[in-house]
Amino acid sequence: MEAAALKIEFHFIPPHAPTFGGLWEACVKSFKHHMRRIVGNNHLSAESFTTVLAQIEACLNSRPITPLSSDPNDLQALTPGHFLIGRPLLTVPEPNLEIPENRLDNWQKIQRITQHFWKRWHEEYLSTLQTRYKWTTMNPNLLNGSIVLIRDDNLPIGRWSMGRVVATHPGQDGLIRVATVKLPNSVNLIKRPITKLCPLPIEIDPVTAADQPTAIPQ
């Protein structure tokens, strides 16, 4: 109903043709890769396994894809959750469960499995947003106004630290290594090295990009 109200039309790939969906099939491959290693030899009941899959599904569908608008005051990003329920998916934070497994009840074991998945998959997804080349190849500089994800190892499941670049700080060679980022719903500004910032894919004006100096590889 939400998609119909926005006049969104879905075009599906043919049945039994997963190779047609390279982008999302890569996400499925990533899920299977981490799922096998995290669940391992744990014996889960049907209900517990269903709960784990539902929570992991929420993790995958919470990922930011692209900025929602070019408004400099809008720091929201489009997520798969917008296509499902019309808004980002939210989860209830759970305490860190890095304690011996024999001290955990069934629900806590499920949460620890989900936390381990989130930690591994979250880091892998952020890495895909930072294209890494050999030192012989130069990257375009980070542009003012870009929405970025900020690397933070202590975020709870389904939460993403986002901000908008308001200033860049090039070195003497003109290459940007540090940026000032504005956080959402806050007047505070933070500085981070570009290795801790993951720009969301956006369409950049080639004329504007041509005027920018070149950045060092990350």
Side-chain angles (χ1 to χ4, degrees), residues 27-174:
C27 186
V28 173
K29 178 182 178 181
S30 175
F31 155 74
K32 290 180 178 179
H33 173 81
H34 294 300
M35 188 68 177
R36 290 193 190 100
R37 285 155 180 78
I38 292 169
V39 174
N41 295 324
N42 287 301
H43 298 285
L44 301 176
S45 65
E47 292 78 9
S48 297
F49 190 61
T50 301
T51 302
V52 169
L53 292 181
Q55 293 186 337
I56 291 178
E57 179 186 4
C59 293
L60 300 177
N61 290 328
S62 72
R63 68 189 188 279
I65 301 175
T66 187
L68 275 176
S69 72
S70 58
D71 184 352
N73 297 317
D74 184 6
L75 298 181
Q76 297 186 30
L78 181 69
T79 70
H82 283 85
F83 297 101
L84 298 174
I85 61 174
R87 62 181 184 275
L89 295 173
L90 300 177
T91 58
V92 178
E94 294 282 346
N96 188 9
L97 297 173
E98 292 296 335
I99 56 179
E101 187 172 351
N102 58 2
R103 295 170 53 188
L104 301 176
D105 59 27
N106 189 53
W107 172 254
Q108 290 174 329
K109 290 180 181 179
I110 293 173
Q111 296 309 303
R112 191 164 83 160
I113 290 174
T114 308
Q115 288 176 2
H116 285 177
F117 177 89
W118 165 258
K119 184 176 181 180
R120 296 189 183 192
W121 176 81
H122 170 263
E123 184 66 24
E124 179 183 281
Y125 179 71
L126 291 179
S127 297
T128 62
L129 298 179
Q130 291 182 310
T131 305
R132 300 176 185 273
Y133 301 98
K134 293 185 67 174
W135 61 271
T136 54
T137 305
M138 308 301 285
N139 287 342
N141 253 338
L142 190 64
L143 300 178
N144 287 345
S146 300
I147 287 187
V148 294
L149 297 178
I150 305 169
R151 286 183 175 269
D152 187 345
D153 297 332
N154 299 317
L155 288 175
I157 295 174
R159 303 298 175 90
W160 303 82
S161 181
M162 299 180 59
R164 187 179 290 274
V165 176
V166 296
T168 53
H169 309 285
Q172 295 181 354
D173 53 5

Side-chain angles (χ1 to χ4, degrees), residues 3-20:
L6 296 175
K7 298 183 179 179
I8 296 176
E9 296 183 5
F10 291 95
H11 298 273
F12 299 98
I13 63 175
H16 306 288
T19 54
F20 281 45

